[in-house]
Amino acid sequence: MILYKDNENDTPTFTIHNAISETFASGLINEFKDKTQPAQHESKGKMIEGKDLRDSTVSWFFNDELYARVYDFMQVANYHMGLRYKITGAEAFQFTKYNKDQHYSWHRDGNQDHFGARDFTFDTPKNLGQTNMPGLVGTVRKISASLMLNDDFEGGDMEFMWLDEGEVKKRTVNLKPLDLIIFPSALEHRVVPVTKGTRYSVVIWYGGPPLT
């Protein structure tokens, strides 16, 4: 049963408006828009490029100022959504670029049981069950956060799907620039195809021990 729903969009998510400044958002777009590579997703235990499920390009980065700001918002959402998850670490930021017709079909960002706990590898991780960041060893993705950077595009809405008292619910969330949407990583969601322009966002995942 879903206990928490956002008053504005009626989904089990938490939205912060004006999470960053327009200047900061423009700076991120200008810095990373020409540095992206094809995005990957996990399939049968391997990370692959497959445009049927996920068609976008990404760039990974670290930014202490942005990390501190988004972390504080995540802590607020973690409390007020009633999750109260133990969070012990975070992955790098992912700058994501969706051109016309690109999309990300229905998916979950991670499982929260013990089978999803990450092992350490010195190599490039081959799947979501591996990490080369020591602080994430033994953790699972618990909370996801997506930051919208622009609105000069059409399509590209985020949609969420969940089971509520035996009924499948689907909702579209119309994010505005500078909106930060936070949600449990196990929540099904997608980005519908962009029909015009280019959609830019930044995503981060927060991890902790598997749920018990």
Side-chain angles (χ1 to χ4, degrees):
M1 177 183 293
I2 299 297
L3 298 179
Y4 177 87
K5 289 184 182 178
D6 187 281
N7 290 331
E8 294 183 11
N9 58 46
D10 197 36
T11 68
T13 66
F14 194 96
T15 301
I16 306 248
H17 301 302
N18 298 309
I20 60 172
S21 68
E22 292 183 8
T23 301
F24 200 104
S26 296
L28 291 173
I29 293 173
N30 291 333
E31 182 175 0
F32 296 110
K33 67 179 182 179
D34 298 321
K35 298 179 181 179
T36 60
Q37 301 293 327
Q40 295 185 324
H41 63 87
E42 187 177 63
S43 177
K44 298 180 180 179
K46 296 181 179 179
M47 300 304 293
I48 65 169
E49 295 175 17
K51 293 185 178 181
D52 289 342
L53 175 64
R54 185 181 191 185
D55 187 8
S56 61
T57 58
V58 302
S59 182
W60 299 90
F61 71 98
F62 293 94
N63 183 294
D64 289 341
E65 179 182 355
L66 185 61
Y67 178 85
R69 190 165 182 81
V70 176
Y71 181 84
D72 285 347
F73 288 139
M74 180 276 298
Q75 291 284 63
V76 171
N78 189 23
Y79 180 84
H80 283 288
M81 293 180 73
L83 302 175
R84 318 290 165 89
Y85 289 157
K86 182 178 181 180
I87 300 298
T88 58
E91 299 174 48
F93 285 109
Q94 179 185 267
F95 176 89
T96 308
K97 176 180 177 181
Y98 291 90
N99 287 319
K100 185 177 182 294
D101 297 326
Q102 291 189 310
H103 69 283
Y104 199 162
S105 298
W106 290 112
H107 67 285
R108 294 186 296 173
D109 290 338
N111 295 320
Q112 299 175 344
D113 56 35
H114 287 266
F115 292 109
R118 289 175 275 209
D119 296 321
F120 183 78
T121 178
F122 285 99
D123 302 318
T124 300
K126 297 179 180 179
N127 53 53
L128 294 179
Q130 296 182 343
T131 181
N132 53 18
M133 300 176 68
L136 294 178
V137 173
T139 68
V140 296
R141 286 179 173 176
K142 284 187 167 179
I143 295 179
S144 302
S146 182
L147 176 65
M148 180 58 63
L149 299 180
N150 68 315
D151 67 351
D152 51 342
F153 64 91
E154 295 177 7
D157 289 326
M158 284 193 78
E159 294 185 348
F160 292 89
M161 178 169 58
W162 68 97
L163 189 66
D164 191 357
E165 296 185 345
E167 181 181 353
V168 175
K169 300 288 185 69
K170 293 181 182 179
R171 295 286 188 276
T172 298
V173 177
N174 298 308
L175 296 175
K176 300 176 181 178
L178 316 182
D179 279 354
L180 175 69
I181 188 165
I182 302 167
F183 54 93
S185 296
L187 182 62
E188 291 272 355
H189 59 286
R190 69 175 177 176
V191 175
V192 303
V194 171
T195 57
K196 182 180 180 180
T198 302
R199 179 190 194 272
Y200 297 107
S201 63
V202 168
V203 181
I204 189 169
W205 300 274
Y206 294 93
L211 298 181
T212 55

